[in-house]
Amino acid sequence: MTKFYIIAFVVLLLLIWPIELAVLYSHISSYKKYWTKQNEQPAQPNQLLYVALGDSTAQGIGASTPKNSYPYLVKEWLQTQTGRTVKLLNYSVSGAKVADTIKTQLPQIKNLKPDVLTIEIGANDMKTYDADTFAKQMNELIAQLPKSAYVSDVPAFTGRAKNLNKNVIDANKHVHDIVQTADLNQVNLYDVTKNNKNLRDFAADYFHPSNQAYKNWTRAFTDAMSTRFSK
């Protein structure tokens, strides 16, 4: 009987998984629309301005709703810590690489003076990683960020792309050196994510973070901000 239940459970998973995967990929479009609509909402007096840059993880792909993404959760944390409402502008783009961020995201913040800016970028560069190219592009990117920027290193790949972790570790050496030289705020996302190996930490594609994992991502950013925004 136990064997029967195990087989039935596996069959059920195999039936549900393609549906969950299809829903996840549909979020690429729907989450983009959500953030575009939010970005268009006018700011209110005395709001903190928070800008998020990055790739699909800043969009919240893998979360059940954009409100479970780390930028939204960081926004809520900032509101709690400061007692002020926060205007969140999320200019991230699913699939973005470092070069894409320089070309399409940085121009959108050229005339802004954000109180807080977060960025996690580089994960999509790991498959074709070249150390010299990556370092050069990261230098160009970080040189254009405001002093209010909190720059994440590349998260650990503990799902189906874990074979790329060698590239991640090398890339993060460059990220840390460049952030330190620029005197910006380092977010140690790799340390927070390297032990996330539970299936509950992943979305249906076994790559993007789940709701649970995005809480850990949020903690990485808020830990870096805690001294500045302590109650």
Side-chain angles (χ1 to χ4, degrees):
M1 185 63 71
T2 301
K3 185 177 180 180
F4 169 80
Y5 284 124
I6 293 174
I7 294 173
F9 179 71
V10 171
V11 170
L12 182 62
L13 285 179
L14 291 175
L15 291 173
I16 293 174
W17 178 72
I19 298 173
E20 291 185 343
L21 201 59
V23 170
L24 184 148
Y25 290 136
S26 74
H27 286 168
I28 295 174
S29 175
S30 62
Y31 285 21
K32 179 181 179 180
K33 291 178 180 177
Y34 171 86
W35 291 118
T36 299
K37 185 176 180 179
Q38 292 299 308
N39 291 347
E40 292 171 349
Q41 298 299 312
Q44 301 300 317
N46 199 40
Q47 281 188 308
L48 285 172
L49 177 58
Y50 165 30
V51 172
L53 306 179
D55 52 31
S56 58
T57 54
Q59 286 278 294
I61 302 303
S64 58
T65 167
K67 292 186 178 181
N68 287 320
S69 67
Y70 79 80
Y72 194 94
L73 296 176
V74 168
K75 169 190 169 181
E76 290 191 323
W77 181 87
L78 286 168
Q79 290 181 156
T80 299
Q81 293 298 111
T82 64
R84 295 168 62 183
T85 59
V86 175
K87 171 62 178 175
L88 169 56
L89 295 174
N90 190 337
Y91 294 126
S92 61
V93 177
S94 290
K97 297 182 178 182
V98 177
D100 301 318
T101 306
I102 295 169
K103 183 178 180 180
T104 65
Q105 296 182 43
L106 284 182
Q108 298 184 77
I109 69 167
K110 185 176 180 180
N111 297 318
L112 297 178
K113 295 182 179 179
D115 297 289
V116 177
L117 183 147
T118 62
I119 179 169
E120 181 281 315
I121 198 70
N124 292 315
D125 294 83
M126 293 301 99
K127 189 174 182 179
T128 57
Y129 176 72
D130 175 78
D132 291 339
T133 301
F134 182 83
K136 180 181 179 181
Q137 292 175 343
M138 284 299 297
N139 261 308
E140 183 180 353
L141 171 62
I142 291 174
Q144 298 180 63
L145 296 177
K147 291 298 182 182
S148 59
Y150 290 81
V151 184
S152 161
D153 53 13
V154 181
F157 284 21
T158 54
R160 59 180 170 83
K162 61 184 178 181
N163 60 303
L164 297 177
N165 259 328
K166 181 180 179 181
N167 293 345
V168 173
I169 292 170
D170 188 71
N172 283 340
K173 294 177 183 177
H174 295 291
V175 174
H176 291 182
D177 288 344
I178 297 166
V179 171
Q180 184 177 17
T181 300
D183 194 27
L184 297 183
N185 305 288
Q186 177 70 61
V187 177
N188 295 315
L189 186 58
Y190 179 85
D191 289 342
V192 171
T193 56
K194 66 181 178 181
N195 294 318
N196 292 353
K197 300 176 183 178
N198 192 301
L199 284 176
R200 292 182 300 171
D201 292 319
F202 298 98
D205 61 353
Y206 197 44
F207 180 74
H208 285 94
S210 63
N211 287 345
Q212 174 175 294
Y214 274 125
K215 292 179 181 179
N216 294 332
W217 284 54
T218 302
R219 177 167 54 86
F221 282 95
T222 58
D223 281 353
M225 299 175 187
S226 59
T227 301
R228 179 183 172 196
F229 292 103
S230 60
K231 285 188 175 182

